[in-house]
Amino acid sequence: MELLKERILREATIMNQDVLKLDALLNHQVDPQLTLEMGKEFARLYAETTVTKVITVESSGIPVAFATAMALNVPLVFARRKKTLIADSDAYTERVPSFTKGIVTDIMVSRQFLTADDTVLFIDDIIANGDAARGLIKIIERSGAKLAGLGIVVEKSFQAGARTIREQGIRVESLVKIASLEGGKIVFES
């Protein structure tokens, strides 16, 4: 997605050779028009599958997952990272480390919103090591739902996350793949 590449080059900040800060596009501020275009592109990529729900992990994946769900005309479900007083006590739960936050959290999805009748498309903003993605994939498997695949806005292909998921036979479609951040320069995979 050329528009996304242009915006990343113009607005992203390289924190170090492993971390790209995308606050101006995905993680703190959201460009609605760009987000809608990303959702349309994921809907196009998965048009041949019969997706019944889009799923993501809160919070940065929600805008693009919402745009995708809207384009597919299906509900959006997101895994919560924090247990609330009204949370479903019988939710699917998985403990996952966060690469960018440097902490381990539980992600939870209510059994009410994820069933064996569902075919889900998992949308996320960035994949690095893939820990959160693997955690949500385990939840999807336990629910009996079918995973149509993953849609990733930015894949850091120099880290193992997306590769290890593809090695499991799971379809992964990334809008942009970044091959390197070394030397303070963003290098896209061709």
Side-chain angles (χ1 to χ4, degrees):
M1 202 173 165
E2 290 305 312
L3 175 61
L4 181 57
K5 286 181 181 179
E6 291 169 17
R7 294 288 301 275
I8 289 170
L9 289 173
R10 201 168 58 233
E11 299 174 46
T13 304
I14 299 169
M15 303 304 291
N16 60 47
Q17 67 183 14
D18 292 324
V19 179
L20 182 66
K21 188 174 179 182
L22 293 166
D23 281 4
L25 298 171
L26 292 171
N27 306 119
H28 198 61
Q29 172 176 275
V30 175
D31 178 324
Q33 290 305 315
L34 177 62
T35 302
L36 289 173
E37 290 304 312
M38 290 186 287
K40 288 176 190 173
E41 181 61 9
F42 284 129
R44 184 190 70 76
L45 289 167
Y46 285 93
E48 81 289 351
T49 61
T50 307
V51 173
T52 61
K53 290 182 180 168
V54 171
I55 194 164
T56 193
V57 178
E58 76 173 353
S59 64
S60 297
I62 292 175
V64 177
F66 176 84
T68 305
M70 187 173 176
L72 291 170
N73 196 30
V74 298
L76 165 65
V77 175
F78 60 90
R80 294 181 179 266
R81 286 194 181 267
K82 295 183 176 114
K83 191 168 187 165
T84 64
L85 293 175
I86 58 170
D88 185 350
S89 61
D90 190 31
Y92 298 109
T93 304
E94 192 67 34
R95 184 154 279 222
V96 298
S98 170
F99 177 77
T100 51
K101 293 182 180 91
I103 59 171
V104 176
T105 61
D106 289 332
I107 58 173
M108 298 163 270
V109 177
S110 173
R111 291 174 188 267
Q112 175 184 356
F113 301 122
L114 189 59
T115 71
D117 296 330
D118 289 312
T119 299
V120 296
L121 173 56
F122 177 4
I123 300 291
D124 211 357
D125 59 340
I126 300 171
I127 191 163
N129 292 330
D131 294 318
R134 280 189 296 277
L136 190 51
I137 290 167
K138 287 179 185 175
I139 287 173
I140 293 165
E141 289 170 348
R142 280 202 312 272
S143 76
K146 180 182 176 203
L147 177 60
L150 271 69
I152 306 295
V153 175
V154 177
E155 175 184 336
K156 294 195 288 181
S157 58
F158 59 92
Q159 291 175 298
R163 183 183 71 247
T164 59
I165 291 169
R166 285 185 182 102
E167 288 169 354
Q168 295 176 357
I170 297 170
R171 179 179 173 191
V172 179
E173 297 285 349
S174 300
L175 299 182
V176 170
K177 293 181 183 179
I178 296 178
S180 172
L181 297 173
E182 291 193 24
K185 185 177 179 198
I186 298 169
V187 178
F188 294 108
E189 198 173 291
S190 40

